[in-house]
Amino acid sequence: MTEDPRTAATLDAKRRQLLALMMQERGVDPLQAPILPQPRDRDGYVLSFAQERLWLIDQIEPGNIAYNVPTALRVRGTLDPAVAAASFTEVARRHQTLRTTFASAGGRPVQRISPHAPVPVPLIDLSALPAAVREPESRRVVVEESGLPFDLSAGVLRVRLVRLAPEDHILLFTLHHISSDGWSNGVLAREMVQVYQAFAAGRPSPLPELPVQYVDFAHWQRQALRGPVLDRMVEYWRRHLDGVPVLELPTDRPRPPVPSLDGGLLGIEVPAPVFDGLKELGRAEMATQFMLVGALYLTFLSRYSGQTDLSFGTPVANRHRTEVEPLIGFFVNTLVVRADLSGDPTFRELLRRVRKLSTDAFAHQEVPFSKLVEVLNPARSLAHTPLFQVLFGMGNAPASRERLSGLSFDPLDDRTQTSMFELNLSAASAGPGGPAGDGGAGLGYSFEYRTELWDATSIRRMLAHLVNLTAGAVADPDLRLSELPLLTLPEVHQLDVEWNDTAAPSAPLIDEQLTGWTDRDGAALVFEDRSLTWRELDAAANRLARRLRRLSAGPGTRIGFCAGRSLEMAVGFLAVLRTGAAYVPLDPAYPVERLAWMLADA
């Protein structure tokens, strides 16, 4: 049973409710029901699930700039600021989300649509500054604008225009994530340019009226995702994510209890021949670029962490309904892809697993991530995001690059200032053809990362390793994951040659250096409120070494020692050395999976 939204919109509330009941009785999936316009005679409208989560976060942390969605366009040509302001005003008239505010009514959040009004576009004129100062100052303005907090009770859109020269401007517009996403910013940029072109020529807006608005989607989502429908979809995620472990990647610095979100961005290009081979592998295995790079990312994460139960989050546009494709609003959702890499499968086997996992995840994408966290209620920690710690995405939002006669609007190349996740891999075409195209372009990888965890040198090394994995998987997808090349040629030379130069004189062993120190006075080791003298350290290490020898410890054997930072850890280290065995340190803070892998590998 289907219904024309334009006809259904004329029904009163009781008839719309009756229509919904009839559809349910006839077995029509509520998720396939049309999104219908709701009456605009209310004081407030319900929020979508995703909006509600961001509203709650804003109540806890008012003005959190992590959810600002900024866009900066470099405009070359003669730009009329008045026409630009009129264009934004027209787009805001079309999209009610751009003039929506948020408040609490009866203990529940509501969104309210403000009347149509001009959108202010203040002009910041830097054209009088010296040329050497102008560009740095414009960048400062861009960064400052993107970092200004929003008051959700007052508005969700800010627009600024920076003039560097009569025919050189930077157009800034920033939205709060509660009313926008990456796709939406592309819609806003494209429509603004289309309206500007018409207004500059004295014509009316060429854009058709929108059949529904975001508040209609929020109402539809609340009606569709409830009861048995929601229970059925959540059950899939409950099974898929039960007991998902925390990913513990090695970092340059310890993870702080509360992350700062300070971020950096670095990228690398996969050579075009390797990318061509990757596409050929995808065609042979009926796998998309998302599945291919996702499998490579999981391999990379496993090789770095030693874990085999892995997950990453991935953003989805969540615009598979034609009604919402042209809307500005918070539609993007986050899915969790969890994979089992145990048994050291071949890359081809892993790719097939990821293909099935991705297909299943996308088939259940309607469940908002915020609702998933609410229902599954995973263990919370300020140091880790729930259910996954790293992100992966393929760029598919509409581009902001636009062209007019005598004008060009190009995205301003700027580095990220924040990172919502520990590590965020983005994959996109580095030239014509696109990731899914047939052109000869290479594939670009970029890591957005938390600078409090990694240095730039470490991220560059990780990117190089990911490229090596890609080339290795393309060359022979039937290699096992442990066999795929990771290190670069200089690193291999360093390990095999430079660090194994047996001709160089070796330093005395630690145990040899301690010879003769047992008669010294004073403490040899101090930890918290305990200490050991040199004589006590020597005696304790000898006792443990004798016991280990009785257990067959000696040259050629490996002794695992699992202990936290303590006096016993130092005693155990010396004792193992005195038996002639190899010392294998096992940190009790490591995940169980990683410790098990280390034991098996040793």
Side-chain angles (χ1 to χ4, degrees):
M1 177 180 178
T2 59
E3 182 70 28
D4 186 339
R6 292 168 297 181
T7 303
T10 63
L11 302 177
D12 58 27
K14 289 185 178 180
R15 286 192 173 92
R16 281 196 302 274
Q17 186 176 13
L18 179 61
L19 173 62
L21 289 172
M22 291 173 62
M23 293 177 65
Q24 184 175 353
E25 288 175 358
R26 298 188 185 189
V28 177
D29 185 351
L31 293 172
Q32 302 303 318
I35 300 176
L36 306 178
Q38 299 300 304
R40 296 296 190 263
D41 55 359
R42 307 175 196 170
D43 182 48
Y45 304 89
V46 296
L47 278 62
S48 67
F49 291 115
Q51 282 184 315
E52 186 172 51
R53 173 174 170 266
L54 288 195
W55 183 84
L56 289 171
I57 291 174
D58 189 73
Q59 298 303 296
I60 298 170
E61 304 176 69
N64 186 339
I65 66 169
Y67 296 99
N68 285 8
V69 186
T71 296
L73 300 178
R74 192 65 175 256
V75 186
R76 308 277 188 180
T78 304
L79 180 73
D80 187 329
V83 176
S87 302
F88 273 104
T89 299
E90 169 60 18
V91 176
R93 184 198 65 78
R94 281 172 46 77
H95 295 273
Q96 295 174 353
T97 43
L98 299 181
R99 41 192 176 91
T100 296
T101 58
F102 296 82
S104 177
R108 300 286 296 176
V110 295
Q111 49 184 327
R112 292 176 173 146
I113 302 170
S114 301
H116 174 53
V119 174
V121 182
L123 176 64
I124 303 171
D125 195 343
L126 306 179
S127 59
L129 295 177
V133 178
R134 206 177 302 151
E135 198 73 30
E137 178 63 14
S138 69
R139 294 295 177 132
R140 187 196 65 77
V141 172
V142 170
V143 172
E144 181 181 70
E145 160 57 32
S146 65
L148 293 176
F150 277 101
D151 177 0
L152 297 185
S153 66
V156 294
L157 169 68
R158 286 195 307 268
V159 185
R160 302 285 187 274
L161 184 62
V162 180
R163 175 178 290 159
L164 291 88
E167 296 189 352
D168 188 5
H169 294 78
I170 297 176
L171 183 61
L172 310 172
F173 56 91
T174 308
L175 293 96
H176 193 280
H177 203 359
I178 200 169
S179 290
S180 182
D181 52 25
W183 182 297
S184 297
N185 276 22
V187 172
L188 176 54
R190 186 174 63 252
E191 290 196 357
M192 178 268 165
V193 171
Q194 290 174 320
V195 173
Y196 181 95
Q197 183 178 31
F199 283 5
R203 300 191 305 268
S205 168
L207 303 176
E209 292 301 311
L210 298 167
V212 294
Q213 295 283 341
Y214 187 85
V215 291
D216 303 317
F217 164 80
H219 176 83
W220 170 87
Q221 185 188 63
R222 293 281 180 173
Q223 296 299 311
L225 280 177
R226 61 180 181 176
V229 175
L230 180 61
D231 294 342
R232 183 181 70 250
M233 302 194 77
V234 167
E235 182 56 30
Y236 161 79
W237 290 108
R238 196 189 304 276
R239 293 193 310 270
H240 181 55
L241 299 178
D242 180 45
V244 60
V246 171
L247 175 64
E248 296 284 357
L249 289 171
T251 59
D252 293 328
R253 287 170 289 280
R255 289 175 176 82
V258 181
S260 70
L261 306 185
D262 291 339
L265 180 67
L266 289 171
I268 196 171
E269 184 178 345
V270 178
V274 175
F275 183 32
D276 291 340
L278 195 66
K279 290 186 289 185
E280 184 60 36
L281 177 61
R283 283 190 284 268
E285 293 296 326
M286 295 183 291
T288 64
Q289 292 296 321
F290 173 86
M291 298 169 187
L292 286 161
V293 182
L296 288 165
Y297 194 28
L298 289 167
T299 304
F300 167 85
L301 296 173
S302 180
R303 294 284 294 272
Y304 258 72
S305 68
Q307 296 173 242
T308 56
D309 185 354
L310 297 162
S311 63
F312 61 75
T314 185
V316 291
N318 203 26
R319 292 179 184 249
H320 48 282
R321 300 292 299 257
T322 56
E323 307 101 300
V324 303
E325 282 188 6
L327 295 185
I328 292 174
F330 186 10
F331 293 97
V332 68
N333 194 18
T334 304
L335 304 184
V336 184
V337 177
R338 181 186 184 184
D340 178 10
L341 279 66
S342 61
D344 196 17
T346 67
F347 182 76
R348 193 187 303 275
E349 290 170 346
L350 175 61
L351 179 58
R352 291 171 180 174
R353 293 181 195 179
V354 172
R355 183 181 63 191
K356 175 68 164 59
L357 291 167
S358 302
T359 302
D360 290 347
F362 279 89
H364 296 83
Q365 66 176 291
E366 285 85 359
V367 181
F369 181 75
S370 56
K371 192 67 177 177
L372 202 59
V373 173
E374 174 189 328
V375 173
L376 300 183
N377 193 26
R380 302 299 183 94
S381 168
L382 292 176
H384 296 287
T385 52
L387 302 180
F388 67 93
Q389 288 72 54
V390 296
L391 204 70
F392 163 56
M394 301 286 296
N396 65 345
S400 299
R401 183 173 285 105
E402 300 290 342
R403 293 286 185 271
L404 294 178
S405 177
L407 272 177
S408 66
F409 296 76
D410 296 304
L412 190 66
D413 182 22
D414 200 14
R415 294 294 180 182
T416 183
Q417 302 295 312
T418 61
S419 181
M420 294 291 293
F421 301 93
E422 290 188 4
L423 201 62
N424 178 0
L425 171 66
S426 295
S429 170
D438 296 320
L443 182 69
Y445 291 148
S446 63
F447 272 142
E448 183 183 275
Y449 64 99
R450 286 186 179 166
T451 52
E452 66 188 1
L453 298 180
W454 286 287
D455 295 325
T457 53
S458 298
I459 297 298
R460 290 191 185 96
R461 182 169 58 249
M462 292 160 76
L463 285 165
H465 291 169
L466 185 56
V467 170
N468 281 354
L469 281 175
T470 304
V474 167
D476 189 353
D478 293 310
L479 285 176
R480 297 198 175 275
L481 302 185
S482 62
E483 298 172 332
L484 290 172
L486 187 74
L487 302 181
T488 62
L489 289 178
E491 289 171 331
V492 172
H493 182 270
Q494 188 177 52
L495 286 173
D496 292 348
V497 179
E498 296 177 23
W499 290 355
N500 282 282
D501 185 1
T502 55
S506 59
L509 298 177
I510 293 177
D511 191 39
E512 295 173 353
Q513 295 182 49
L514 295 179
T515 302
W517 286 43
T518 54
D519 294 333
R520 294 193 178 194
D521 296 327
L525 292 173
V526 177
F527 181 75
E528 295 180 344
D529 58 348
R530 300 170 57 206
S531 64
L532 287 176
T533 66
W534 293 102
R535 189 182 303 276
E536 290 170 335
L537 173 62
D538 182 64
N542 284 336
R543 284 195 300 272
L544 182 56
R546 286 193 293 270
R547 183 177 179 185
L548 290 174
R549 287 195 189 99
R550 289 196 295 270
L551 295 172
S552 301
T557 60
R558 291 165 295 281
I559 307 297
F561 200 86
C562 188
R565 187 180 294 273
S566 62
L567 298 179
E568 289 75 15
M569 182 178 71
V571 171
F573 176 68
L574 279 177
V576 172
L577 290 181
R578 288 181 176 182
T579 67
Y583 179 84
V584 181
L586 302 170
D587 191 332
Y590 283 174
V592 174
E593 294 87 349
R594 186 174 184 183
L595 290 173
W597 178 86
M598 293 174 68
L599 290 171
D601 188 59

